[in-house]
Every structure is written in C-alpha cells, then in structure tokens.
Amino acid sequence: MYLIDEGAVAILKQLEEAGFEAYLVGGCVRDFLRGTQPHDWDITSSARPEEVQAVFSQNPVLTTGLRHGTVTVLLENTPYEVTTYRVDGTYSDGRRPDSVVFVDALESDLARRDFTINAMAMDKQGTLRDPFGGQNDLNAQLVRCVGEPERRFQEDGLRVMRALRFAACLDFSIQEKTIEAIHRCRSNLSHVAGERIQAELFRLLTGPGAGRVLRAFPDVLAVFWPELEPMPHFDQRNPWHCWDLWEHTVRAVEAAPPELTLRLAALLHDVGKPTCFTVDDAGVGHFYGHPEHSARLADTLLRRLHSPNALREKVVALIAHHHWDMEPDEHLLRRRLRQLGPEGVLDLLALQQADVQGQAPSVAAQRRAVLQQTAAMVQEILAKAPCLTLKDLAIGGREILALGVKPGPEVGRILTALLDRVAEEDLPNTREALLPAAQAFLERSNHISF
C-alpha cells in the first residue's frame, strides 16, 4: 500500500497544531484504500478559509475557490486544496449549489457528497472516518449514493454520468436503488454543459467495465446523443448479425483496445445504420452508405460535446473508412499506408477487428483470420521502413525545379507521382532512379502517368 503524501501530512499536522480538525477526504482516500496511487490529495478541515490562510501565511496560497470554502496551499509548487466543512444550499440550476454554509461537523460535510466510496475521511495516522459505509462498498465493489439517490442526482445532473464513470473505470457494480434513480433522473443531464459530460464519458469509455455500463444504460447516453436511441433492440436482419445493433456496438467497444480514439470510433461506427436501413426481396437487411452517414453523425455528436478537433477528426476518419478493403495484399496495404499513414492503418485494423467481434460468430471467424493475416503483413511492410511520405523521398522540390519545372503545383504533382510508385515498390527510392523517372514524366505530353 502507498504511503500518505508527505506534503498532505504536513498540512494536516500544521492545521491540527493550530487547533483545527483536518482530514484527507474523497477520491484520494478511496484510491489509497484500493492500493492505487492518488493523483490529488484533498483536505477538509474545521478551519474557515480565512483561518486556513492565516495558518499558511508563510506559503503561497490561491483563493480562486474561496466562494465555496476552498483555499489552495502550495508546498514546493505542489497544490493541496483545503476546503472548510460545509453543507450545500439549493441547486436551482441542477449543476452547482447556489451557496454553501460552513459547519463544524465532519459528518455533515461527508453527507453532502455523491457516493459512499467518495464520502470517507482519513487523518494523518491513517484512521478512517466512514459514517456511510464507504469502505464496505469499496470492498464489495459497489457504487452507491450517499443518502437518497434521487436527491443526489437532482442536486447535480452530472452525477448520473459520474456514477456510470466510476462503475466503468473501477469495474464496480451499481446498487439497485442507485440504478433506478439513474434511469429516473437521467433527463437532468440536459442541464449540464457538454464539456462536463464529455469528460465523464471519455473516461467511462476506456474503463474495464465500459461494455457492461453501456449495455445497461443506453437511455442515459441518449439524453445528450438522441441519435443513439434507435439502436437498442434494432434487428439488423442480416446473417452477419445475431445481436441487435446496440449489442453489436457494445461488443465492438469491449473488443477495441482501451484507447479513447478507438473506443469512440467503435461506439459510433454504426450510428447511421437505422436511417440507412433497407430490406431486399429476400427479407435481408442492408445498410448502404452507412459508413459515410455514420461519420457525418459522429462529427455532429462529438462537436455537441465540444470534443478536441484532432480527436474528432481521427474518429470521424476511422468511421468513414471502417468498411475499406484491408485484404492481405501487399500492393493494397502499401497504398493504404500511403493514404492513412502507419498509425491510421493500425487504428483502422484495430477497429475492423473489434467490429468483427460484434458480429455473428458463425460467419465472423473467416473475417477474423483474414484481418490477422493483414495485420501481420502490415507489420512486415513497416519493418522494411517503407517510403510513405514526401519527406521520405530521396529527392525533393529542389531537384524537380532543376529539371526546368516552374515553381508551383506541378512540383508537388511530380513528387506525389514518384512517391506513389516508390510506396508500391515499382521504383527504388534512390536519386539515380527518381531523377530519370521525373524527367520521363515531364517528357510525356499528358503528364498523368509514367
């Protein structure tokens, strides 16, 4: 088990020596008891904010959280938040308390917190204060609200997503009463900013219990992404699929590596299927054009949560390409590496492999075997350090200009044509081979192919 952070112990000791109660509280206690390293060490104290400032008058102190009773003390440039025991006032916006009231009892402070596993406090000797059974729930791997679940979720709608995130990231179950309240209170998420939802969702998706949580709570995600609503119970009527569209999606998420880009792509790769659904004369379902439509929808959904542009663009590209041919053919794969780059190809293969895991086992085995062969061939190609970008070419723009080409787009077209041939091993990547090929290109009247 990890030791309590020395800086946190020093702050607890200094507050106690000044005559105040002081405890570690919240997530750091939870993680410490689980035997994982806490990222932050939060402290709660009977000292009022101005008293905390006085106790640490010799240290840099930040007062940005003063309105809610929080003072940040810097010890050797490490921040430690010290928050006065408090109870929250009304939550008129369903997001944050309108006011706080400072109190003298630790238990009153713990009673306002969201889940029992976050409502424990510990002194500098490691003695636990746990009035709501958080340690028992931690041992039982259970997420349970402090007090009445509906009240907790009415206070702050984001707690609905926090419950799911803790269940996914810790791989815990959720207490039945808390589950019922999540479903009843899910609409409170409509009052929460997209950025706050995004932070919880993205952490949820990479957790070991992500699939189990997604399987149980599609209605929660549909509050901010209603485009997902048709997916549960959607019969795909196709021999490749023995599960409904949501179960297929969840299985793909579970099979994808726990990286955010891949998990998001797996979650949204078929979101456009319901609107592309057609049935042929034999009663078989088809989804013509769904990769492109799903990519457009994914772009919209990720923008709604204000996702980072680079992440959004990667996810959208993966979804748009997720039906691309990726057979174990060296010329094809060299072209794919040229089009997408090594990272893009490896990510696309990972998404396709996850997609297959969500298909009917009776028909998916052959496809899995093909993708494994493809992945092995890609690694063989990459091991040869192929020329995949213009900067990898043995010649550049200067050499093309020396052939008499005027500065402009024609230089790039010639270099790109050379790169295509080199990438597919039709031409060696040497000056001796590239310069005559460029000259030949110029001498051809159509300037299209060699």
Side-chain angles (χ1 to χ4, degrees):
M1 182 176 287
Y2 294 96
L3 298 176
I4 299 175
D5 178 82
E6 290 183 1
V9 171
I11 290 178
L12 295 177
K13 183 177 180 182
Q14 199 163 336
L15 285 166
E16 289 179 356
E17 288 176 349
F20 302 105
E21 294 179 7
Y23 295 88
L24 300 170
V25 71
C28 65
V29 177
R30 178 196 68 233
D31 291 343
F32 183 81
L33 293 175
R34 292 181 62 239
T36 60
Q37 181 63 50
H39 298 293
D40 302 296
W41 296 86
D42 293 333
I43 294 163
T44 188
S45 175
S46 60
R48 299 300 195 258
E50 65 275 9
E51 293 171 328
V52 175
Q53 290 179 267
V55 170
F56 294 99
S57 59
Q58 303 304 309
N59 300 89
V61 172
L62 306 178
T63 58
T64 50
L66 203 60
R67 180 170 173 262
H68 292 103
T70 299
V71 173
T72 302
V73 179
L74 297 177
L75 292 186
E76 299 181 356
N77 294 319
T78 300
Y80 298 89
E81 288 190 354
V82 181
T83 302
T84 301
Y85 297 164
R86 74 183 206 200
V87 294
D88 297 335
T90 57
Y91 287 73
S92 59
D93 62 0
R95 291 178 295 172
R96 59 182 68 86
D98 300 321
S99 62
V100 300
V101 177
F102 301 139
V103 295
D104 297 321
L106 172 65
E107 185 168 332
S108 297
D109 180 89
L110 297 177
R112 69 179 174 83
R113 297 175 183 267
D114 49 9
F115 309 111
T116 60
I117 57 175
N118 297 331
M120 297 180 284
M122 180 183 289
D123 66 20
K124 64 181 186 295
Q125 287 84 27
T127 303
L128 194 66
R129 296 285 297 273
D130 180 21
F132 303 104
Q135 187 171 32
N136 287 338
D137 287 343
L138 202 60
N139 294 336
Q141 300 186 331
L142 189 69
V143 176
R144 177 168 63 93
C145 283
V146 174
E148 182 54 44
E150 281 203 34
R151 178 179 177 183
R152 295 282 85 85
F153 295 136
Q154 294 291 350
E155 289 170 344
D156 182 356
L158 187 66
R159 286 173 173 168
V160 167
M161 285 300 295
R162 279 174 58 82
L164 304 194
R165 188 255 292 181
F166 281 120
C169 291
L170 300 177
D171 206 8
F172 281 14
S173 300
I174 304 177
Q175 181 222 23
E176 190 59 37
K177 282 185 64 176
T178 301
I179 289 174
E180 294 169 0
I182 287 170
H183 289 300
R184 286 196 300 269
C185 299
R186 66 187 186 278
S187 62
N188 293 340
L189 278 170
S190 61
H191 305 298
V192 179
E195 295 88 345
R196 296 181 75 203
I197 293 173
Q198 175 217 110
E200 299 297 333
L201 175 65
F202 286 5
R203 293 173 71 181
L204 181 166
L205 284 176
T206 57
R212 180 169 46 79
V213 170
L214 292 174
R215 189 172 282 112
F217 297 99
D219 57 328
V220 173
L221 273 63
V223 173
F224 51 88
W225 280 351
E227 292 83 353
L228 304 184
E229 196 167 359
M231 297 175 72
H233 312 299
F234 190 99
D235 184 356
Q236 301 189 70
R237 299 176 66 175
N238 187 288
W240 283 90
H241 293 286
C242 60
W243 295 293
D244 69 38
L245 183 54
W246 185 245
E247 180 62 23
H248 160 73
T249 296
V250 171
R251 285 172 179 264
V253 171
E254 290 176 318
E259 299 169 10
L260 181 58
T261 300
L262 292 172
R263 289 281 174 95
L264 274 170
L267 178 65
L268 300 176
H269 77 285
D270 279 350
V271 67
K273 272 189 169 182
T275 50
C276 296
F277 183 57
T278 59
V279 180
D280 64 22
D281 293 341
V284 177
H286 300 279
F287 304 93
Y288 300 116
H290 86 268
E292 296 79 12
H293 186 53
S294 296
R296 289 192 294 270
L297 281 176
D299 186 78
T300 298
L301 301 186
L302 292 171
R303 287 179 186 275
R304 191 176 300 157
L305 297 188
H306 308 286
S307 305
N309 289 338
L311 172 67
R312 174 178 51 78
E313 290 166 4
K314 283 184 179 180
V315 171
V316 169
L318 280 172
I319 294 171
H321 301 149
H322 81 269
H323 270 207
W324 268 20
D325 183 10
M326 296 294 286
E327 299 300 309
D329 174 272
E330 187 165 351
H331 286 289
L332 170 67
L333 295 179
R334 284 181 176 276
R335 186 163 70 251
R336 293 292 186 240
L337 286 165
R338 171 84 178 83
Q339 292 168 315
L340 303 175
E343 181 183 354
V345 165
L346 294 173
D347 282 349
L348 182 57
L349 278 173
L351 177 59
Q352 289 190 350
Q353 288 167 326
D355 192 8
V356 169
Q357 290 298 107
Q359 294 172 349
S362 59
V363 296
Q366 183 178 358
R367 183 60 184 159
R368 269 197 304 273
V370 169
L371 288 173
Q372 289 169 357
Q373 294 174 32
T374 299
M377 184 170 288
V378 167
Q379 293 299 338
E380 290 173 6
I381 294 171
L382 291 175
K384 300 175 185 177
C387 180
L388 298 173
T389 65
L390 291 177
K391 68 180 181 180
D392 298 326
L393 277 177
I395 66 172
R398 182 177 300 177
E399 287 84 356
I400 301 301
L401 293 172
L403 296 176
V405 179
K406 293 181 179 181
E410 185 70 3
V411 174
R413 281 195 290 270
I414 294 172
L415 288 172
T416 298
L418 293 172
L419 177 61
D420 287 340
R421 290 188 60 185
V422 170
E424 296 187 19
E425 292 192 321
D426 290 336
L427 192 67
N429 186 27
T430 64
R431 289 175 59 86
E432 293 76 16
L434 293 174
L435 287 174
Q439 184 66 51
F441 181 89
L442 290 172
E443 292 173 356
R444 300 225 178 161
S445 58
N446 57 21
H447 282 198
I448 294 175
S449 61
F450 290 37

